[in-house]
Amino acid sequence: MALRWFLLLNLICNILLLVDVTHSAAQDARKTYVVYMGDKPKNGPILPDLHVNMLQDVVDSSNIDIAHEDLLLHSYKRSFNGFAAMLTEQEAQKMIGMDGVVSVFPSKQRSAKTTKSWNFLGFPETVKRSALERDIIVGVMDSGIWPESDSFSDAGFGPPPKKWKGKCQGHGNLTCNNKIIGAQYYRASRSFEGDVESPRDSSGHGTHTASTAAGNTVSKASLNGLGLGTARGGVPSARIAVYKVCWGSDISSADADILAAFDDAIADGVDILSISVGSNIPFDYLNDPFAIGSFHATRNGILVSMAAGNEGPGAKTVTNFAPWQLSVAATTINRQFITKVQLGNGKIYEGLLPNIYDLRGEFYPLIYGGDAPNTKAGATGTISRFCVRDALEEDLIKGKIVLCDGPIDGAGVGAILGGAAGIVLTGKKVVDEALGPYPVPASYVGLEENSDIYKYINSTRNATATIWKSEEISDVLAPYVPSYSSRGPNPINPNILKPDLAAPGTYILAAYPPSGGGSRARYYIETGTSMACPHATAVAAYVKSFHPKWSPAAIQSALITTAKPMSAKTSPDAEFAYGAGLINPSTAPYPGLVYDLDEQDYIDFLCSQGYSGKLLQTITKDKTSCSSKSINGTTNDMNYPSFALSIKDPKFVNGVFHRTVTNVGSSKSTYRAKVVAPLGLKINVNPSVLSFTSLGQKKSFVITIKGPIEKSNLVSASLVWDDGAFQVRSPMIVYVAV
C-alpha cells in the first residue's frame, strides 16, 4: 500500500461500491457475495449453467425483476470453482447450505498497501543471470500499468513463452507487447468513475510495482532530479502479465474481482504472482480471497508474494499471513531527503520529506495555520493549526507558506486544497503518512523547529519563508523497519512467524504514469509495503529462473534462510517487524538446504486448525482426509523455515518442533547445527549433525526449546545449519502471548 499525499485527501471518502440491479425495495438489500466452491471438478469442466442454476435455487424469481443471469457478476471456472453474485443476506445463508459450497462471504473492499534499492541489497546490474529469466512470467495484481514507459519497452524481446495462455484486454486504449504479454481488468460493480475502463493505470501504483519487479533497465531516471540513477526491476528480462483489480485514487479492490483475477492468472501460466494489496483486519482462511486464491496458486506451482500491510506499528497487524503466502515487510534504504526551510530573518531549519519543487529562493508570506481558522465552517484556531480539511480560511492562506502543527492524520491537507504556496509540517519524527512527495513545496520539521518558526511569525508583521528543493543524503541507520510496516505476531496462527522477511519499501523510485499530456511516462518516489513486495517477487522470480522445478515452498524457504539478519536495536519488534531479516537476492538461489512443503502438508495444517476432511475434499476435489495425527497435530509440526513459540508464562517455556530439510547444495556434505540463544533459553537440536550423500536427499531433526526467558516478554534466537560452504539460517522467536 503506497502512502502518497492523495491518499490523505481521500481518508474520509473511502466508500464501498454497491450496485443497484433493480428499483424494488427488496433489491435495496442486495450486495455482492462471493460463493467459493473449492477446486475444479476432476472429471470434467464446470457446466456452463451451474452457477446460474444455483442462483435460481436460492433466489425467488418473484422477488426480482431481472434475469437470474444478471445477478451473476463473475464465474470462476478456469482454475477453481465459484462465483460472485448479487444476493440478499437470506439468500446467502441458503447458499451456504448447498451441496459443494465451501464458504459464502460478502465481497469486501481491500486497499493497496529502483535506482538505489537493488544496489543497496548487493544485487548489481552485472549479477549472474539465467537464460530462463526471459521465460519467467511475473503476474502483477494491482491498479494496471502504463505501457508506454521505457521500463516496459519490448526492444530485444522475442515472442511470449509458449506456456502463456493469457490475453490482452486493451479495450481500445492499451496495447500489449513482448514485455507486457497480457493485461486484463476486473470490475464487477461496473463503476469506472475516476478511472478508465481498461488495464491502463491511472493511479500509478501498479506501474510502480510492476517496474520494481520486472522493469527494464533505464538510465538517468529521477523524480525532478531526486533519486537520479538507473531504474531497473529485479528481473528485467522477465515478462509481465497485468491483472487490474484496484481502482480510483484510493486504489481499492473488491473480493469478487480479486478471485476472478486469481482464476485467470493461474490458468494463464504465470510463474510468480505479486500482490501489493490486502485487508486492514485478519479474516479466516476460507473467507479471505487472498488466502483462497493463493492456496490454489500454490497448488499449481505459483509462489504468491504479498505485502505484509501498512497498519503498523501495532502488534498482530500483519494481514497476509497464510503459510502458503510470502509475507513481505518494508525496510528503509540508505536514502534520506533533507529539505531546508529558510525564514526571512535568514535562519535555516532542516526538515525531512522529498520536496521536488524548486522555489529558487523566492520568499513567500508565512502564516501559522492556527491564525487562519475557517470561522464560517465553525473552525477555531485549535483545529485550524493542524491545517486539516475545511479548517482553514482560503483567502488567508492562498499563495502563502503555512506552518502546520501535528502530527495528526490529514495535517496539511486543508492548506494544499486551499491553494497554499507551501506547507511546513510538524512532529516528533516524520510520520509515515507524511513521507511524500507532496503536491506543493513541503518540509517536515521537529517540535523545537516548529516553536522557533512560530516565534518568528509572531515577531514581525511581514513573516516570509522559502522551501528549498530536497538534498539526498545517506541514512546510516538503514536498514530498519519503519513504523508503517505491519507487525506480527500472526493473528490466526501464533506459532507461524509472519512477516516472513523484509525488503526495501521506503523512498523507492520506479516508473509512473505522466502527470500531464503526452504518453512518455516519468518516474516517481513511493513508500509502503507495496513497494517492498515486488522486490521479494523479483527475487523469487530470480530463484525460479535457476530452479524452474522448485516448489513455491522451496523458493520461499530459500528466500527466508538466506536473508540477512537485522537488528532489534533499530527495529525493536525484532522478528515480528522483519521476519528472517533483509532479503538477499545474490545468495537466494543457493540456499544449501530447503524446508519444502507439498499440498498434503498444507492439508494437514488445515486439519490441525479444525477444518473437516469433508470440507477439505470439497476444496481439493481429492480424496482428502484428516488423519488422527494431523487432527491432533500443531503448527509446530509444519515444515516451515522459521520458528515461533507463543507461551503464556515466561517462567515456563516448553516447545517441540519437527522439521525436514532437503539437500540442494553439494551432493556430499555434512551440516552442523549452530544455535544462538539468549541467556536462560535452552535450545536442543537432535541430531545436531546432518550428513548427505546426494542431492534431493532429506533429513529430519527435532528442536526442543525450554526456558525460562528473562527480562523480556520477547526473545530472539536462531538456528544455522553450516557445512562450511552454505549457512542455512532460520530465525526463532519466543514470546508471551497477550
Side-chain angles (χ1 to χ4, degrees), residues 571-590:
S571 303
D573 297 303
E575 283 78 10
F576 288 149
Y578 47 69
L582 183 67
I583 199 165
N584 190 353
S586 297
T587 60
Y590 319 106

Side-chain angles (χ1 to χ4, degrees), residues 421-467:
I423 53 175
V424 180
L425 301 168
T426 308
K428 292 181 180 178
K429 62 173 184 174
V430 177
V431 294
D432 302 309
E433 289 77 14
L435 284 169
Y438 276 70
V440 298
S443 186
Y444 194 103
V445 300
L447 297 178
E448 185 176 339
E449 290 84 356
N450 170 280
S451 178
D452 287 348
I453 297 171
Y454 176 73
K455 289 176 183 176
Y456 163 69
I457 292 173
N458 288 324
S459 71
T460 177
R461 291 184 177 181
N462 298 302
T464 59
T466 190
I467 300 173

Side-chain angles (χ1 to χ4, degrees), residues 1 113 279 307-312 317-320 328 484-486 529:
M1 182 187 306
K113 303 266 159 243
S279 171
N310 288 347
E311 312 309 316
T317 50
V318 60
T319 52
N320 294 316
V328 187
Y484 65 79
S485 188
S486 290
T529 54

Side-chain angles (χ1 to χ4, degrees), residues 285 316 318 321-323 488-500 560 575-576 597 605 608-609 632-649 652-659 703 705 713 730-738:
Y285 296 127
K316 297 184 180 180
V318 60
F321 47 75
N490 189 318
I492 299 290
N493 301 110
N495 282 11
I496 294 180
L497 178 60
K498 292 287 178 173
D500 289 303
I560 290 172
E575 283 78 10
F576 288 149
L597 290 159
F605 164 75
S608 73
Q609 301 306 298
N632 297 321
T634 68
T635 51
N636 293 6
D637 297 323
M638 191 175 197
N639 200 37
Y640 214 67
S642 57
F643 301 85
L645 181 60
S646 169
I647 59 175
K648 294 181 179 179
D649 188 340
F652 300 98
V653 178
N654 191 1
V656 179
F657 297 84
H658 296 85
R659 293 291 191 269
I703 290 182
I705 303 177
N713 286 337
S730 291
M732 297 179 171
I733 189 165
V734 180
Y735 68 101
V736 179
V738 178

